[in-house]
Amino acid sequence: MKIIVPVKRVVDYNVKIRVKSDHTGVDISNVKMSMNPFDEIAVEEAVRLKEKGVASEIIAVSFGATQCQETLRTAMAIGADRAVLVETNEDLQPLAVAKLLKALIDKEQPGLIILGKQAIDDDCNQTGQMLAALADLPQATFASKVEIADGKATVTREVDGGSETLALTLPAVITSDLRLNEPRYVTLPNIMKAKKKLMDILKPEDLEVDVSPRIKTLKVTEPPKRSVGIMVPDVATLVAKLKNEAKVI
């Protein structure tokens, strides 16, 4: 069984985000970039499934600029067998990514697609759901446990107030949550091996997909700074401030 794992190149989660002076977006010049953490969890889960003998091949895929090759090499260092980069300088939105993934699914015919539940740059949480709809595949989002047996996937997912377990017929789409696993440390030998693994580079036109943006960002601003908290002497003063100043009661 093949597993496709999409990975996204995002600003590293340790970096403090700066908004551009013209408010057109986030400043990413000279900023450390890395693999989206949720996607890293997805790659790790795919590798674990292969180590159990469930999967025969793991294909990491990414969409974007040439620099995304670094992210794909990281995925292959974790354990992906080969990679596909759909190279474009367009500002890709979730629907465009889902359409590109649908085209790759038609081409590769995987038994499972595992991807992060959302990217930490836009926090859209849309690509997995859109892909499942476009490809007409069953889906399980926010997975905290995945088991594959007898052509079915059993997925435990977190919901409000607890968890639920779903049984999916393969092929299927699964999105990973933080508690699914803890990604392994990438060793230097595996980084060197990843450099020799195959990476195909395509264009959106090769997959006959229109990736033109359908949503325009009008303005990006930083959240308002919070004022310093104060101490109140008693409950009556607290209630008065909440009512008269904060106006929340």
Side-chain angles (χ1 to χ4, degrees), residues 181-233:
N181 61 55
E182 184 175 343
R184 67 194 67 191
Y185 178 76
V186 180
T187 62
L188 181 59
N190 286 336
I191 293 173
M192 300 306 293
K193 290 177 183 177
K195 293 181 179 180
K196 298 179 181 178
K197 292 183 178 180
L198 177 65
M199 182 185 300
D200 294 326
I201 299 178
L202 306 174
K203 299 287 185 183
E205 302 79 49
D206 299 329
L207 299 173
E208 299 180 355
V209 175
D210 178 15
V211 296
S212 301
R214 286 170 166 74
I215 299 173
K216 182 180 180 181
T217 301
L218 300 179
K219 189 177 183 181
V220 177
T221 59
E222 293 186 2
K225 292 184 178 180
R226 298 177 62 180
S227 58
V228 179
I230 61 171
M231 299 290 291
V232 293

Side-chain angles (χ1 to χ4, degrees), residues 50-61:
K50 185 181 178 183
E51 290 172 345
K52 292 177 183 177
V54 173
S56 58
E57 185 180 29
I58 301 169
I59 308 167
V61 300

Side-chain angles (χ1 to χ4, degrees), residues 4 59-69 72 82-90 92 97 99-108 198-209 211:
I4 283 184
I59 308 167
V61 300
S62 191
F63 313 95
T66 305
Q67 292 87 340
C68 292
Q69 292 186 33
L72 289 170
R82 60 186 175 92
V84 178
L85 171 61
V86 180
E87 196 173 61
T88 176
N89 291 320
E90 285 280 5
L92 294 176
V97 174
K99 288 181 177 180
L100 290 168
L101 280 170
K102 166 64 166 58
L104 287 173
I105 288 172
D106 292 341
K107 181 180 178 181
E108 297 286 351
L198 177 65
M199 182 185 300
D200 294 326
I201 299 178
L202 306 174
K203 299 287 185 183
E205 302 79 49
D206 299 329
L207 299 173
E208 299 180 355
V209 175
V211 296

